[in-house]
Amino acid sequence: MLDKTLNPGAFETRLYEGWERSGAFAADPASNAVPFTIMIPPPNVTGSLHIGHALTMTIQDTLVRWRRMQGRDALWQPGTDHAGIATQMVVERLLAAEGKPDRRAMGRQVFTDRVWQWKAESGGTITQQLRRLGASLDWPRERFTMDEGLSVAVREVFVTLHKQGLIYRDRRLVNWDPKLLTAISDLEVESREMKGSLWYLRYPVEGKPGEFITVATTRPETMLGDTAVAVHPEDARFAALVGKRVIVPLVGRAIPVVADEYSDPEKGTGAVKITPAHDFNDFEVGRRHGVAMPTVLDPEARVSLDEIAADLRAVEGVADPDFVRGLAGQDRFVARKAIVARLEELGLLEKVEPHSNQVPHGDRGGVPIEPRLTWQWYCDAGTLAKPCIEAVETGRMRFVPKQWENTFFAWMRDIQPWCVSRQLWWGHQIPAWYAPDGTIFVERTEDEARAAARAKFGAEVALERDPDVLDTWFSSALWPFSTLGWPERTAEVARYYPGDVLVTGFDIIFFWVARMMMMGQHFMDGQVPFRDIYIHGLVRDEKGQKMSKSKGNVMDPLELIDAYGADALRFTICALTGPGRDVKLGRKRVEDHRSFVTKIWNASRFLEMNGVAPNATWDPASATSPLARWILDAANRAVAEATTALEAYRFDDYASACYRFVWNSYCDWFIEFAKPVLNGPDGAEKDEVKGAAQHVLGTILRLLHPAIPFVTEELWDHFGYGPDYSLIRAPWPEAVAVAEAEAAREELDWVVKLVSEVRTMRAEMNVAPSITTPLLLRDATPESLARAARWIEAIRRLGRVTEIAPLQGDPPKGVAQVVVGETTVMLPLEGVIDFAAERTRLAKARGAAEGEIRKVQAKLGNPDFVARAKEEVVEENRERLVAFQAEIARLDAALARISA
RNA sequence: GGGCGCUUAGCUCAGCGGUAGAGCGCUUCGUUUACACCGAAGAUGCCGGGGGUUCGAAUCCCUCAGCGCCCA
């Protein structure tokens, strides 16, 4: 017998292990079934399960379980990415905490060995936690982006793209993180609003003592590298200065004043200093005007004079080489202060205004990034993006919801060269070797590089490998095929690529989505990596605030699972995941949805107590009773609604269709109607009710399994619908044949309406529950009377009714009346009834009906409506008018009887 | 500044041309043998404002306002 209270913790782990052991999660490349593939967007190996993972993984698991039940050969590919910067930082912090030497002191090999050791010990956290959520991933296929096989794929792709000219080495400005000492991508940079200042600096015009051009800047320290001043070509104020030269204070360099539209006459003074080596916009301006691009900050953002020492020049009252030399090695912010102070002394600081601006910060290191001119490896993203754009335009890939296409297009059409090198130790080391003369050999292995070098030089030369590693996203981009064994031509690659759907948040479109598309199409003969891209929202707290540790509003999914069960969390997520909306999630929401899981448990428990048990031989088509037919028919509709919803990625509709059917049809009415039968004598009627009950319960368990895997499997196993752990592979329900469903619906709808009306009346009349009454039916058709007779036991129980009889002669005194279809139902409540209340109640019902009649009449009275509206709409309104008029007539009669 | 989205019951949200809905909350009642994580009943809406299209607009178009996000 099922426990009186549901305790998910008692079986979740056992069921998960049972499924896993039985191979239920495993894809089967040898099967004849149509595959269904979801590639997990690989979580960061340093990560632990947060509520955002719970959302995305619940959605993926729901899809996978559903398709698996539909008979598809489901592959949900698990794994993690190596998270270059994050992992390296974790291990460096660990070393520091242990008081060990830092990575530079220990050397690259020892350090990376240590990272692998860390990965072995702690890297599996998130994959263990996903099991708690019920995620049915094919674990034996788990991959890691640094695995040997995936590394082969990375080298293959790099070398191939290089040979195709789509990867190249270039010296450009990059986002440099002065704390982590590596280049990072645009997407790893976040703007933060900072309160700073706008300094107005005077640059003396060459050869015109006392004449200045004033430039406004937020970064005075970069003046050391200024090589131009730009003004707008149409700015009359500066027209005379264009072509002249000005002296950079402190350094004494003479630089041109150039006309360039980049300069905004409205901003600052309208003149801007140009430091091409330390600002992206300035870099472009500098390139347009062919000026020098000296770097004045070292990798740690300290002043470096290497590139300007030679041209420092003393200018009386303006430039002071000794001062500048004294800045060497100082941090950029220390240097800023010193420079501003010195300029003020020289009278070259015109003014300082408070100014707030967006300062780019590295999202990992947290310090302002410093644009730097460096040699890096770049991928020609623009070329790779083109076929991806085309694939979305032509519908070969589909965003759900569609609106995200816009975001995607906007970014892809304006995509910049992708800097793929990182100055880290943890990652795929770039397969490029340098000869002493600087010749670069990009090959799959060192041996091949040596061979290439021998071929070129005709002799053995010393080769040095590029120390840098590739961006983590480079290897993640290959995930949809590298995990399947590519570049080997495996059966898996042939079978499971392309995937069916990629599920992720909108914040990831530029990361996984775009990059997997580029690499997938390029290396898989133009085949897209996935057909659908389902974009879900972010999880927020109840107030709609983004969850963050600093706000203290984070929710731990594992803690929620401990408290309410994984099913409750999963069902909540499904119910709240509408299209294109963020999910506001609070404890209370999970608690609310847990009730539904409990409800299923309790209903099952009741059925078990009444001897309902699986009976595979029971044929729904053989059902003869309206009750059985009605619930089977309702189940058919629930199945159709749920299936349609899942096909459309409408997890909210799926959840609510199941909820309504289980709670409002199966529990509220079917089980209640079944009670008198179950309590009655054994026989055909009871057998049929039990047959329908067990059949529909089986349908419900299968229908809900994708969202609520644990409780449904537990019940399935407990009842014995199949062997233990078999629900996960049970077939997805389909509509069953139901004879005369329409008639059954009419009959049950009538009974439901009768009981509801009687209940409403009693509640409004304040009739004590202890009082039971007969029902007298006036003007009832023989059909209604027959129905009343058939359902008398249920009506007695649900409506607190004694008997039902046609009204003979005049109604007794003191009746309460309600209109159900053609019938006026009367409850003799002499002495109990409050006539004033009854009149009010009837008058209110009449008022409501009148209101409807007015609306319908207004429509039908409009000749344009009758002439132009669709025929069925007009007809529907005519019917409504007649129905309301009849109802009013009966209500009037009822009122008249009371008044008499 | 450019783009996207949102604004419907107290709260969270469906509905997206033809009778305004759900869950939660609220009020009242309830030990009828599955369930108080329950049952029954009830109340609550100028569907953000204004204009337009249409026989008909929460739904389509324009506009304004407020909120949120992304990109500059």
Side-chain angles (χ1 to χ4, degrees):
Chain A
M1 196 60 66
L2 290 169
D3 288 348
K4 183 158 164 54
T5 51
L6 166 62
N7 179 14
F11 49 78
E12 287 184 350
T13 305
R14 176 174 53 76
L15 291 176
Y16 193 89
E17 287 170 358
W19 288 324
E20 194 172 356
R21 217 172 30 241
S22 73
F25 303 157
D28 178 9
S31 94
N32 292 321
V34 180
F36 176 78
T37 309
I38 295 188
M39 290 289 165
I40 203 170
N44 176 336
V45 69
T46 65
S48 53
L49 192 78
H50 58 62
I51 197 78
H53 290 125
L55 167 68
T56 197
M57 299 307 177
T58 293
I59 287 170
Q60 290 175 51
D61 192 48
T62 299
L63 289 170
V64 165
R65 284 179 185 266
W66 164 55
R67 292 297 193 185
R68 194 184 280 129
M69 290 175 78
Q70 281 189 327
R72 302 278 290 270
D73 171 29
L75 170 60
W76 188 15
Q77 172 67 51
T80 46
D81 80 28
H82 65 274
I85 294 180
T87 309
Q88 183 162 317
M89 282 172 74
V90 164
V91 177
E92 286 188 287
R93 268 201 300 269
L94 209 61
L95 292 173
E98 290 167 354
K100 298 255 176 64
D102 70 9
R103 86 181 146 97
R104 281 167 222 286
M106 68 200 300
R108 184 165 185 151
Q109 187 59 49
V110 179
F111 179 75
T112 49
D113 287 349
R114 182 68 187 82
V115 179
W116 276 110
Q117 186 195 331
W118 171 87
K119 197 259 176 187
E121 289 162 3
S122 321
T125 306
I126 193 161
T127 58
Q128 289 309 316
Q129 292 169 329
L130 283 169
R131 290 167 156 91
R132 290 289 319 279
L133 192 66
S136 59
L137 290 143
D138 189 353
W139 291 113
R141 292 180 185 275
E142 182 174 353
R143 294 290 183 274
F144 179 54
T145 46
M146 289 286 282
D147 282 351
E148 181 48 34
L150 274 65
S151 301
V152 168
V154 164
R155 287 194 293 274
E156 178 68 26
V157 165
F158 189 91
V159 170
T160 305
L161 288 175
H162 179 258
K163 292 197 190 307
Q164 292 171 337
L166 294 172
I167 277 184
Y168 53 90
R169 207 160 170 263
D170 197 6
R171 187 167 187 260
R172 303 164 46 103
L173 269 191
V174 289
N175 296 301
W176 183 266
D177 188 317
K179 183 179 173 193
L180 303 173
L181 303 180
T182 178
I184 59 177
S185 90
D186 296 351
L187 296 170
E188 292 164 300
V189 173
E190 54 186 44
S191 286
R192 293 190 199 162
E193 175 96 12
M194 304 277 282
K195 284 204 176 78
S197 304
L198 197 57
W199 285 273
Y200 288 74
L201 313 182
R202 287 180 176 144
Y203 283 26
V205 179
E206 190 181 42
K208 299 266 183 84
E211 208 177 307
F212 303 95
I213 188 165
T214 302
V215 296
T217 180
T218 58
R219 301 201 55 198
E221 69 279 11
T222 63
M223 69 176 301
L224 302 177
D226 283 359
T227 52
V229 167
V231 298
H232 196 275
E234 279 153 35
D235 194 334
R237 295 172 297 175
F238 302 112
L241 286 169
V242 173
K244 301 248 175 359
R245 302 210 299 176
V246 296
I247 307 298
V248 181
L250 307 179
V251 295
R253 184 185 308 129
I255 61 173
V257 176
V258 300
D260 195 289
E261 297 195 340
Y262 164 66
S263 179
D264 180 353
E266 307 290 317
K267 267 193 191 157
T269 62
V272 286
K273 60 194 246 356
I274 299 297
T275 322
H278 291 282
D279 181 283
F280 287 94
N281 291 310
D282 290 8
F283 180 77
E284 296 302 324
V285 175
R287 228 167 34 182
R288 281 198 285 275
H289 297 277
V291 299
M293 304 190 168
T295 292
V296 295
L297 294 169
D298 72 6
E300 292 175 72
R302 294 176 306 207
V303 172
S304 159
L305 303 179
D306 296 354
E307 296 185 19
I308 61 165
D311 65 338
L312 290 176
R313 196 163 57 91
V315 176
E316 180 62 29
V318 175
D320 178 357
D322 286 339
F323 169 79
V324 174
R325 283 185 201 104
L327 294 172
Q330 292 197 30
D331 176 78
R332 52 187 162 168
F333 298 113
V334 175
R336 175 184 294 179
K337 268 193 187 152
I339 286 171
V340 169
R342 186 75 181 112
L343 288 173
E344 190 164 16
E345 280 169 29
L346 294 170
L348 297 174
L349 177 66
E350 189 171 298
K351 59 174 173 175
V352 185
E353 284 176 354
H355 182 77
S356 62
N357 58 336
Q358 298 289 328
V359 179
H361 284 67
D363 64 0
R364 291 285 174 189
V367 303
I369 65 112
E370 188 62 53
R372 281 193 94 231
L373 263 180
T374 54
W375 282 101
Q376 301 284 348
W377 289 93
Y378 288 90
C379 177
D380 182 355
T383 300
L384 294 176
K386 282 201 178 64
C388 306
I389 294 168
E390 191 261 356
V392 174
E393 281 170 344
T394 58
R396 288 199 293 139
M397 281 189 284
R398 188 169 70 110
F399 277 89
V400 181
K402 196 171 191 300
Q403 79 223 26
W404 291 109
E405 279 183 2
N406 295 328
T407 307
F408 169 78
F409 285 140
W411 191 72
M412 286 296 256
R413 285 176 180 147
D414 186 37
I415 197 164
Q416 299 302 305
W418 171 18
C419 174
V420 294
S421 44
R422 296 288 182 271
Q423 287 63 51
L424 304 172
W425 286 356
W426 176 239
H428 299 99
Q429 192 171 353
I430 292 174
W433 284 265
Y434 302 93
D437 74 343
T439 308
I440 304 171
F441 299 95
V442 173
E443 299 294 346
R444 287 168 183 80
T445 63
E446 184 162 353
D447 285 347
E448 286 175 33
R450 281 191 195 295
R454 252 194 322 272
K456 179 172 171 66
F457 297 114
E460 202 71 35
V461 296
L463 290 181
E464 199 170 328
R465 184 165 186 180
D466 192 313
D468 290 349
V469 301
L470 288 165
D471 180 10
T472 306
W473 300 103
F474 192 91
S475 44
S476 302
L478 316 183
W479 188 259
F481 50 93
S482 65
T483 50
L484 300 174
W486 188 93
E488 299 291 316
R489 301 171 59 93
T490 61
E492 279 83 354
V493 173
R495 183 170 173 78
Y496 299 109
Y497 187 96
D500 287 84
V501 55
L502 181 79
V503 175
T504 190
F506 58 77
D507 49 334
I508 298 301
I509 291 176
F510 308 139
F511 292 95
W512 282 306
V513 181
R515 287 176 185 171
M516 286 177 176
M517 282 183 188
M518 289 194 251
M519 294 304 193
Q521 294 216 89
H522 192 77
F523 284 93
M524 301 301 289
D525 304 322
Q527 277 200 79
V528 298
F530 23 73
R531 296 190 183 89
D532 288 354
I533 302 137
Y534 175 75
I535 304 290
H536 57 247
L538 259 38
V539 182
R540 299 174 175 279
D541 72 7
E542 302 99 313
K543 294 184 217 113
Q545 304 263 18
K546 212 166 165 171
M547 289 190 188
S548 73
K549 275 183 194 149
S550 54
K551 279 188 206 145
N553 60 350
V554 288
M555 283 192 309
D556 177 3
L558 297 173
E559 196 264 323
L560 289 171
I561 289 170
D562 288 338
Y564 304 109
D567 289 332
L569 176 61
R570 293 171 58 113
F571 188 70
T572 306
I573 286 169
C574 284
L576 299 182
T577 300
R581 240 185 210 278
D582 285 345
V583 175
K584 286 186 201 162
L585 195 66
R587 263 193 109 70
K588 181 71 170 63
R589 313 300 300 274
V590 181
E591 196 177 317
D592 291 345
H593 288 87
R594 173 186 54 167
S595 314
F596 178 61
V597 182
T598 311
K599 186 78 179 176
I600 297 169
W601 181 267
N602 285 321
S604 303
R605 189 166 156 269
F606 171 78
L607 295 174
E608 185 190 26
M609 283 163 35
N610 281 275
V612 171
N615 177 3
T617 62
W618 188 82
D619 177 10
S622 72
T624 56
S625 72
L627 180 60
R629 288 172 170 178
W630 171 76
I631 196 65
L632 289 164
D633 175 61
N636 281 347
R637 271 175 290 131
V639 168
E641 285 172 28
T643 306
T644 303
L646 286 172
E647 281 165 354
Y649 301 100
R650 286 299 302 260
F651 301 95
D652 54 343
D653 286 349
Y654 161 61
S656 74
C658 294
Y659 185 102
R660 279 195 313 271
F661 174 64
V662 171
W663 204 310
N664 304 125
S665 296
Y666 193 70
C667 293
D668 286 350
W669 294 108
F670 172 73
I671 290 183
E672 293 304 326
F673 287 145
K675 280 177 181 173
V677 182
L678 294 171
N679 286 338
D682 288 348
E685 191 185 11
K686 189 188 269 190
D687 288 346
E688 180 155 310
V689 164
K690 281 184 172 181
Q694 62 84 26
H695 181 88
V696 175
L697 179 61
T699 303
I700 287 170
L701 296 178
R702 287 181 290 149
L703 205 55
L704 279 161
H705 183 257
I708 304 181
F710 291 109
V711 165
T712 50
E713 178 75 68
E714 176 66 7
L715 292 170
W716 181 268
D717 297 356
H718 179 86
F719 274 82
Y721 278 98
D724 282 357
Y725 319 120
S726 65
L727 174 57
I728 188 172
R729 290 277 188 165
W732 183 248
E734 285 176 12
V736 297
V738 179
E740 294 173 60
E742 178 64 28
R745 229 172 8 239
E746 275 175 23
E747 173 138 340
L748 269 294
D749 286 352
W750 184 86
V751 181
V752 166
K753 170 98 162 116
L754 177 72
V755 170
S756 299
E757 292 289 357
V758 168
R759 281 170 166 175
T760 303
M761 181 160 42
R762 291 178 56 103
E764 292 194 355
M765 294 292 100
N766 287 319
V767 178
S770 56
I771 298 171
T772 56
T773 67
L775 294 186
L776 300 174
L777 269 43
R778 181 193 168 96
D779 302 332
T781 59
E783 177 59 30
S784 293
L785 290 170
R787 281 172 178 163
R790 275 198 291 277
W791 294 96
I792 182 63
E793 282 307 322
I795 295 168
R796 271 190 183 127
R797 186 185 182 92
L798 302 176
R800 309 202 64 71
V801 165
T802 52
E803 299 300 334
I804 304 181
L807 176 68
Q808 309 284 353
D810 292 333
K813 291 183 68 172
V815 290
Q817 307 163 80
V818 68
V819 174
V820 178
E822 86 292 348
T823 309
T824 304
V825 178
M826 301 180 176
L827 279 78
L829 287 164
E830 170 86 79
V832 180
I833 193 169
D834 173 345
F835 275 102
E838 171 69 348
R839 249 191 302 278
T840 309
R841 196 182 62 76
L842 290 170
K844 195 179 145 199
R846 192 187 190 286
E850 263 192 327
E852 292 303 318
I853 282 184
R854 265 195 301 277
K855 279 197 230 168
V856 177
Q857 274 177 337
K859 276 192 176 183
L860 293 170
N862 180 349
D864 280 332
F865 173 74
V866 179
R868 295 175 186 245
K870 278 179 290 197
E871 185 50 40
E872 59 265 34
V873 174
V874 177
E875 190 49 39
E876 195 182 312
N877 278 282
R878 289 205 175 103
E879 283 166 11
R880 276 164 52 77
L881 181 63
V882 171
F884 283 123
Q885 281 168 338
E887 183 168 342
I888 286 198
R890 285 187 281 274
L891 287 165
D892 280 340
L895 277 163
R897 277 189 291 276
I898 300 187
S899 309

